[in-house]
Amino acid sequence: MANRIAWICCLALFLGLVSRVTSNCASVKTEYARKGLAEIDVPATPVSGSALNVCPKVDGCCSQKMEGSFVSLSRTQFETALRAATSDLKSTFANNARTFDGFFRELIKNSEIELNKLYIKTYGVFYQKNAQVFVDLFQELNKYYDGKNMDLSQVMNNFFANLMKQMFQLMNTKYTFSKPFLDCVTEYMDDLQPFGEQKNTLSVQLKRSFVTARTFAQALSVGHSVIKQLQTLSASKDCQVELAKMTYCSWCKGKTDMKPCNALCTDVYKSCLSDMRDLAIPWDNFVSTLLEATIQLEGPFSIENVIVPIGVKISFAIMNYQEKNTVVSQKIFSGCGTPTLSKSKRSTDGDFFLEGSERNKRSPNARKTNDFPRDSPDLAPTTASGTSLGRLTAAFKRQALASKGFWGKLPTAACSGSDISTDPIKCWNGTDFGRYTSPPGVNNNVDAITPSSTIVQQQIIILKTMTQRLKAALEGEEILEGNGGSGSGSGSGSGDNSGNEIDEGTTLRPTTNPNTIDEENNMLGGGKGQGGNTLGKRESGNSASRPSPAGAVLLAVILCFVVNIRW
């Protein structure tokens, strides 16, 4: 009776162990199929792990074919993690590029509309008959902002030269002027300075403000483009292997629900993203220069403070001409000759200009030219897009400051998902279950896993180039790179309108490490022997002394046989 009971107990133990092993592999089959992989690749019962190249060489539910699938899955895992970790920053630059670009364009448009309304009210038919000179000015300003390589100082010289011709004719309506005579008139502009200091002041302000605004909008779009290109990075073969060890090798032991240790994940991504370290300084310099540009956008050369009251500024210049009209006309007639008297009956000279108290009452100079509060953006008047430049720059500065040091923090951000364990002990450490400890110097010895990628080096060059352009813009100068280069176009920052972005077609994908998994498991993190890995030391809790599931079954059978013989 006792002998029978002993055999029944042994049989129950045997069946229990077999059932445990089978259920472990069954769970692996289930999860493997959920990944869209062939369930038949998973062994029904544990097999020898001596042929494995990626996962620990222990008996379990994995095969070489499954390891290949794990490595392929890891490539997608890397791309997904990289996009997720950088999506917020990309959106920040895309949204700001669209917002600032739209604001600047609407600002210019509104200024032209307001000037037109103001001058019709103030100068009436005289303005309407000569409005083309102002239309041409705004067309040139829009062309410049759109990306055309042109000298704004020359644009303003041409505007005032044409304005001088129109005014000279209006001030001397009893004469008929030929084109050569009017060309002669403009030759005296610099000597006579009929518009006073307003001409030079407005020209300098307009150039400084437009150069800064356009370059700033372009820089935001380029920042978005850089992040977009970096999101296309592919994981090297070595990186894919390390990700497979981190994410899927626990399946070999039947633990499909065991998540990787957070510290292990961080170390793996530090290695996979090792070449991103070179981005840290160029990116932070780029952001710092953008922040300097926001200060200039809020200062005396703010495009908002220059373009909104441009009608008032030009009106001051017109009034200066009126006051100097007698001297100006005498000098021009003396130098260019006396034109032919007009045969037609025309308006009295000077009717375009308003005299005395009437001029003071009707002239459009009721507002000051720099009346936007700089220390309180929330109090600034709405000038375009339902907001003000001060509000936009204040919001952007907060976001830009937060992006400093971003690329150094990227590995941590990539490991912030729900697929990573928050428990430092109950997690997969790469070879077994338990705490993961980073080996000494892991942060300084990560170059081998990912070769320096072409795409990263290209984006570094783009960032440095854009930073230099921003610095030049802060001094009122531009670094132009020819038609169609990075110096052209403002862009929307959305990726659809990339006129001011570096041509994405010239950016190459990084080359991947040509190493493949070999039978000797000599890849980085592999090596002969159980649990070999160069990324970190796994505290496995003496896992090497634990018998495999198949070994446990065999041991149980032997013990039962011995016990029953003895009985």
Side-chain angles (χ1 to χ4, degrees):
M1 183 66 181
N3 190 28
R4 183 179 299 175
I5 294 174
W7 276 109
I8 292 174
C9 289
C10 287
L11 182 60
L13 175 62
F14 174 80
L15 293 176
L17 288 171
V18 171
S19 174
R20 180 183 171 211
V21 171
T22 303
S23 63
N24 283 345
C25 287
S27 66
V28 174
K29 280 180 174 287
T30 301
E31 291 302 316
Y32 198 76
R34 286 180 182 176
K35 294 291 183 180
L37 302 172
E39 184 179 327
I40 194 172
D41 292 345
V42 183
T45 59
V47 296
S48 172
S50 60
L52 298 180
N53 294 316
V54 175
C55 297
K57 295 178 180 294
V58 296
D59 296 351
C61 301
C62 288
S63 63
Q64 280 190 5
K65 190 170 184 179
M66 291 173 65
E67 285 185 320
S69 298
F70 292 158
V71 171
S72 296
L73 288 173
S74 296
R75 180 175 62 250
T76 302
Q77 175 187 346
F78 173 84
E79 294 169 354
T80 300
L82 180 60
R83 285 195 299 269
T86 56
S87 62
D88 286 347
L89 184 63
K90 188 178 90 167
S91 296
T92 292
F93 274 82
N95 292 337
N96 276 286
R98 282 192 294 268
T99 299
F100 277 94
D101 178 69
F103 179 84
F104 292 148
R105 291 180 184 278
E106 189 172 337
L107 202 63
I108 299 169
K109 178 182 178 181
N110 289 350
S111 297
E112 181 177 13
I113 292 172
E114 291 303 314
L115 181 146
N116 187 61
K117 290 179 180 178
L118 200 57
Y119 279 23
I120 288 176
K121 180 179 180 181
T122 303
Y123 302 124
V125 68
F126 297 103
Y127 162 72
Q128 291 175 302
K129 288 182 178 180
N130 298 276
Q132 189 61 43
V133 65
F134 300 97
V135 173
D136 291 342
L137 171 63
F138 279 97
Q139 284 180 346
E140 293 296 284
L141 294 178
N142 279 301
K143 286 179 184 177
Y144 173 82
Y145 185 77
D146 282 338
K148 185 176 180 180
N149 293 341
M150 54 202 301
D151 186 352
L152 280 181
S153 296
Q154 188 58 49
V155 169
M156 296 307 295
N157 280 337
N158 293 341
F159 164 72
F160 279 107
N162 290 330
L163 184 60
M164 184 176 181
K165 290 179 184 179
Q166 297 286 3
M167 291 185 63
F168 183 79
Q169 294 177 82
L170 287 170
M171 298 294 289
N172 298 279
T173 55
K174 61 185 177 183
Y175 296 106
T176 298
F177 301 100
S178 64
K179 185 179 183 302
F181 189 96
L182 292 175
D183 291 338
C184 179
V185 168
T186 60
E187 294 177 4
Y188 287 86
M189 186 167 63
D190 290 339
D191 292 336
L192 299 176
Q193 294 190 9
F195 300 106
E197 286 300 316
Q198 277 74 19
K199 172 185 175 295
N200 293 333
T201 300
L202 181 57
S203 296
V204 170
Q205 289 178 339
L206 203 70
K207 179 176 180 179
R208 292 289 296 270
S209 64
F210 265 72
V211 167
T212 301
R214 183 175 85 162
T215 308
F216 181 78
Q218 290 172 349
L220 292 175
S221 189
V222 166
H224 163 255
S225 177
V226 165
I227 302 167
K228 182 178 179 181
Q229 288 299 311
L230 291 170
Q231 286 185 331
T232 66
L233 279 172
S234 295
S236 69
K237 181 61 75 173
D238 290 337
C239 173
Q240 294 173 42
V241 169
E242 290 303 325
L243 286 169
K245 290 180 182 180
M246 177 187 87
T247 308
Y248 298 108
C249 283
S250 60
W251 290 22
C252 299
K253 296 193 174 185
K255 294 292 185 179
T256 56
D257 58 344
M258 184 63 69
K259 298 178 180 180
C261 302
N262 185 271
L264 167 64
C265 179
T266 301
D267 277 356
V268 169
Y269 274 102
K270 281 180 180 177
S271 300
C272 289
L273 300 170
S274 60
D275 54 349
M276 290 285 199
R277 293 178 303 173
D278 296 335
L279 273 167
I281 294 177
W283 177 265
D284 285 356
N285 289 341
F286 171 68
V287 171
S288 294
T289 311
L290 274 173
L291 291 171
E292 290 179 34
T294 62
I295 295 174
Q296 184 144 309
L297 285 173
E298 298 168 345
F301 294 115
S302 161
I303 187 174
E304 188 176 50
N305 288 353
V306 173
I307 197 68
V308 170
I310 193 172
V312 175
K313 294 172 182 284
I314 294 174
S315 180
F316 287 147
I318 290 173
M319 292 173 188
N320 264 288
Y321 190 109
Q322 177 191 8
E323 294 170 359
K324 297 180 178 181
N325 174 55
T326 302
V327 174
V328 169
S329 295
Q330 289 177 352
K331 290 283 186 180
I332 290 175
F333 284 136
S334 176
C336 299
T338 304
T340 304
L341 287 171
S342 176
K343 295 180 181 180
S344 61
K345 185 176 181 181
R346 306 184 67 181
S347 302
T348 305
D349 291 349
D351 278 354
F352 181 70
F353 303 97
L354 306 172
E355 299 291 345
S357 59
E358 183 66 16
R359 182 186 71 185
N360 293 332
K361 182 170 64 176
R362 294 179 60 190
S363 65
N365 57 2
R367 67 180 300 174
K368 296 179 181 179
T369 59
N370 290 298
D371 59 353
F372 300 115
R374 301 173 195 169
D375 56 346
S376 182
D378 292 337
L379 298 178
T382 296
T383 52
S385 302
T387 186
S388 68
L389 188 53
R391 294 188 188 96
L392 294 182
T393 54
F396 173 73
K397 282 189 286 189
R398 291 191 296 270
Q399 297 168 338
L401 281 171
S403 76
K404 279 195 167 186
F406 175 83
W407 301 105
K409 302 172 186 174
L410 188 57
T412 302
C415 295
S416 60
S418 59
D419 292 334
I420 306 300
S421 175
T422 57
D423 190 324
I425 298 177
K426 294 180 180 180
C427 57
W428 173 252
N429 61 29
T431 59
D432 211 323
F433 308 111
R435 186 185 298 275
Y436 168 84
T437 302
S438 298
V442 67
N443 294 331
N444 300 319
N445 187 29
V446 293
D447 290 330
I449 195 168
T450 303
S452 180
S453 61
T454 302
I455 191 172
V456 172
Q457 296 306 315
Q458 287 183 336
Q459 303 315 306
I460 288 173
I461 292 173
I462 290 171
L463 287 174
K464 289 181 176 180
T465 300
M466 195 68 242
T467 301
Q468 290 302 314
R469 290 187 57 212
L470 278 169
K471 289 180 177 179
L474 295 178
E475 300 299 324
E477 301 297 332
E478 274 199 294
I479 301 176
L480 301 176
E481 301 181 11
N483 294 331
S486 62
S488 64
S490 61
S492 66
S494 64
D496 297 326
N497 181 5
S498 57
N500 69 316
E501 297 181 356
I502 306 300
D503 183 9
E504 294 183 2
T506 63
T507 305
L508 305 177
R509 278 185 171 272
T511 56
T512 56
N513 192 314
N515 293 337
T516 57
I517 302 176
D518 59 60
E519 294 182 359
E520 297 298 325
N521 196 24
N522 287 326
M523 297 187 65
L524 179 68
K528 294 183 179 180
Q530 179 179 332
N533 195 304
T534 60
L535 278 174
K537 177 182 179 183
R538 281 75 171 180
E539 296 180 358
S540 59
N542 298 321
S543 62
S545 63
R546 296 175 184 173
S548 67
V553 173
L554 179 61
L555 180 60
V557 172
I558 292 173
L559 287 174
C560 286
F561 182 76
V562 171
V563 168
N564 279 283
I565 288 178
R566 184 176 179 183
W567 283 359

